[in-house]
Amino acid sequence: PFYLLNLILLLPLPITTTHTWYIVAHYMLAGVFTYLLVRCGLHLARAPSLIAGLTFAYSGTMIAQLTNFTLVTTWIWMPLILFFFIRGLETSKMGYSILAGLALAVQISKSHTQMVLYTAGILGLYALFAFVAGYRDRKGIRILVPFGHLIVVLLVSAGLAAFQLFYTAELIGLSNRSTGLSFATMTALSFPPIYFLKFLAPGFLGSFQNYVGEGNFTELHAYAGILPLILTPFAFLKPRHWRVWFFSTLVILCVVLSLGRYTSLYQGLIYLPIFNFFRVPARWLFLATFSISILAAYGAQNLMVADREPETGRRTSETSDRAPVVAYLVAGLALVGAVGLLWLWNSTADPASAT
């Protein structure tokens, strides 16, 4: 299917150059879309928005999927979709929901249906939280506004990407997944509980070249960064908005689902249509890592003076002696990222080139 960024691959340059630019462009967009979501959708300050963008785009969870790049090119559109959806609910303008549907159609065109399903799940859960949060403020049919926007997003995306959806449905009917997967296949590459140590020590079971754990490194690697984990608890210092609880719920839910066969809760999904077409429960950690990046932004916001009041966008003249703390945290995040890139460069370098 047509995908605008595929034009990069058609440039009259060496294939190694065009593919490198293609990869860099998608990771860059992941950061930009997340920054846009946090800055203009959640109305946090610039520094917290930057932290969220860097954390999501360059987390170990994302970087490890370089060998499964269709997944990455599909998933990076999720923050943009959520941004338009939030703006549609916030402004009561269907135009934003139509844009969310357009972005979702682009995501569908990348053909990784599992990531599309995760995105739809996020939108559905957000609509539910928005419905509960606004229940007292709306009267009559207006209480259903969040679900109305959700339906618009789904209908627009389904209409624009109908060719891809019909093609996918046809292939599913001809594949061994037509009647769903067995529980053993569905829970292949579940995330072992001991592997949550990877969030603190990502290399304790090795890296790309010397991985010694279960399954494979790509699917069972999860790392959001140390500083985001430090910042996340501070998100609850001033839980002024239900969105903090939304992203917290998303983290907990996705962490539990990532366990797969290690939790009895996953057994119910085998009877759930569409969900029982997919394996690798560890991929739920993509949602968890994304949510951690947002909670880290809220934590940074609570530790500093924002140039805008959270959730309202109003200017504030308050001062705080915590601002330098966040400045050091941002600098530390940049340092950790630089060290991580150097480590990745060294660990993936061709041994022959060093002799």
Side-chain angles (χ1 to χ4, degrees), residues 81 99-109 116 119-120 123 153-154 157 161:
I81 296 167
L99 289 174
L102 176 61
L104 183 56
V106 173
Q107 188 187 53
I108 293 172
S109 73
V116 175
T119 300
L123 297 182
V153 173
L154 297 179
S157 62

Side-chain angles (χ1 to χ4, degrees), residues 114-138:
Q114 189 172 15
M115 295 295 104
V116 175
L117 181 64
Y118 288 173
T119 300
I122 290 177
L123 297 182
L125 185 62
Y126 189 91
L128 179 61
F129 267 73
F131 166 75
V132 174
Y135 182 79
R136 295 181 179 179
D137 299 330
R138 298 189 180 100

Side-chain angles (χ1 to χ4, degrees), residues 3 26 69-78 81 106-116 119:
Y3 180 60
H26 281 87
F69 204 62
T70 301
L71 186 152
V72 175
T73 57
T74 305
W75 186 236
I76 64 119
W77 293 95
M78 183 274 300
I81 296 167
V106 173
Q107 188 187 53
I108 293 172
S109 73
K110 286 305 299 169
S111 304
H112 203 293
T113 313
Q114 189 172 15
M115 295 295 104
V116 175
T119 300

Side-chain angles (χ1 to χ4, degrees), residues 27-60:
Y27 280 105
M28 181 182 68
L29 285 176
V32 170
F33 291 159
T34 305
Y35 180 92
L36 180 66
L37 166 65
V38 178
R39 176 62 178 160
C40 301
L42 305 180
H43 306 296
L44 302 189
R46 294 181 180 87
S49 302
L50 181 61
I51 290 173
L54 291 174
T55 300
F56 174 67
Y58 303 109
S59 66

Side-chain angles (χ1 to χ4, degrees), residues 273-355:
I274 301 179
F275 276 94
N276 58 9
F277 290 154
F278 302 105
R279 59 190 188 92
V280 193
R283 288 177 181 167
W284 286 101
L285 291 176
F286 274 89
L287 284 75
T289 303
F290 167 73
S291 299
I292 289 172
S293 71
I294 303 300
L295 290 174
Y298 273 105
Q301 180 82 16
N302 288 339
L303 287 173
M304 65 175 288
V305 175
D307 60 356
R308 291 182 183 273
E309 193 70 19
E311 313 303 340
T312 65
R314 294 193 299 269
R315 295 285 180 179
T316 177
S317 59
E318 297 177 2
T319 58
S320 171
D321 57 0
R322 291 173 175 173
V325 175
V326 176
Y328 285 122
L329 289 175
V330 173
L333 180 63
L335 178 61
V336 171
V339 172
L341 288 175
L342 287 174
W343 171 83
L344 183 64
W345 174 270
N346 290 330
S347 64
T348 57
D350 183 5
S353 65
T355 59

Side-chain angles (χ1 to χ4, degrees), residues 23-347:
I23 291 170
V24 170
H26 281 87
Y27 280 105
M28 181 182 68
L29 285 176
V32 170
F33 291 159
T34 305
Y35 180 92
L36 180 66
L37 166 65
V38 178
R39 176 62 178 160
C40 301
L42 305 180
H43 306 296
L44 302 189
R46 294 181 180 87
S49 302
L50 181 61
I51 290 173
L54 291 174
T55 300
F56 174 67
Y58 303 109
S59 66
T61 311
M62 288 282 285
I63 297 298
Q65 290 290 342
L66 272 171
T67 57
N68 190 9
F69 204 62
T70 301
L71 186 152
V72 175
T73 57
T74 305
W75 186 236
I76 64 119
W77 293 95
M78 183 274 300
L80 182 66
I81 296 167
L82 184 58
F83 163 69
F84 285 133
F85 186 63
I86 289 175
R87 289 294 294 163
L89 294 182
E90 189 175 56
T91 63
S92 298
K93 294 181 179 179
M94 280 295 176
Y96 283 111
S97 295
I98 292 174
L99 289 174
L102 176 61
L104 183 56
V106 173
Q107 188 187 53
I108 293 172
S109 73
K110 286 305 299 169
S111 304
H112 203 293
T113 313
Q114 189 172 15
M115 295 295 104
V116 175
L117 181 64
Y118 288 173
T119 300
I122 290 177
L123 297 182
L125 185 62
Y126 189 91
L128 179 61
F129 267 73
F131 166 75
V132 174
Y135 182 79
R136 295 181 179 179
D137 299 330
R138 298 189 180 100
K139 304 295 183 181
I141 194 66
R142 286 185 56 81
I143 65 174
L144 299 177
V145 165
F147 298 112
H149 283 267
L150 177 63
I151 291 173
V152 168
V153 173
L154 297 179
L155 289 178
V156 170
S157 62
L160 293 175
F163 64 94
Q164 183 68 43
L165 294 174
F166 287 133
Y167 182 63
T168 301
E170 181 181 9
L171 287 180
I172 291 176
L174 299 173
S175 73
N176 58 1
R177 303 191 184 196
S178 58
T179 58
L181 300 174
S182 67
F183 184 74
T185 303
M186 188 177 172
T187 56
L189 295 173
S190 298
F191 200 75
I194 190 65
Y195 280 30
F196 283 107
L197 288 174
K198 282 174 167 280
F199 278 97
L200 298 176
F204 87 102
L205 288 173
S207 60
F208 288 103
Q209 296 175 324
N210 58 359
Y211 181 66
V212 295
E214 296 182 22
N216 61 72
F217 178 85
T218 297
E219 297 291 4
L220 296 180
H221 184 64
Y223 182 66
I226 299 299
L227 287 175
L229 292 181
I230 294 174
L231 288 171
T232 294
F234 292 103
F236 302 96
L237 287 179
K238 302 175 183 178
R240 301 177 180 178
H241 202 277
W242 54 265
R243 287 170 181 160
V244 172
W245 303 111
F246 165 74
F247 288 109
S248 303
T249 302
L250 197 58
V251 169
I252 296 171
L253 178 63
C254 294
V255 163
V256 172
L257 289 175
S258 72
L259 295 172
R261 68 174 182 269
Y262 298 103
T263 173
S264 59
L265 295 177
Y266 210 83
Q267 295 179 358
L269 291 183
I270 196 172
Y271 304 106
L272 193 61
I274 301 179
F275 276 94
N276 58 9
F277 290 154
F278 302 105
R279 59 190 188 92
V280 193
R283 288 177 181 167
W284 286 101
L285 291 176
F286 274 89
L287 284 75
T289 303
F290 167 73
S291 299
I292 289 172
S293 71
I294 303 300
L295 290 174
Y298 273 105
Q301 180 82 16
N302 288 339
L303 287 173
M304 65 175 288
V305 175
D307 60 356
R308 291 182 183 273
E309 193 70 19
E311 313 303 340
T312 65
R314 294 193 299 269
R315 295 285 180 179
T316 177
S317 59
E318 297 177 2
T319 58
S320 171
D321 57 0
R322 291 173 175 173
V325 175
V326 176
Y328 285 122
L329 289 175
V330 173
L333 180 63
L335 178 61
V336 171
V339 172
L341 288 175
L342 287 174
W343 171 83
L344 183 64
W345 174 270
N346 290 330
S347 64

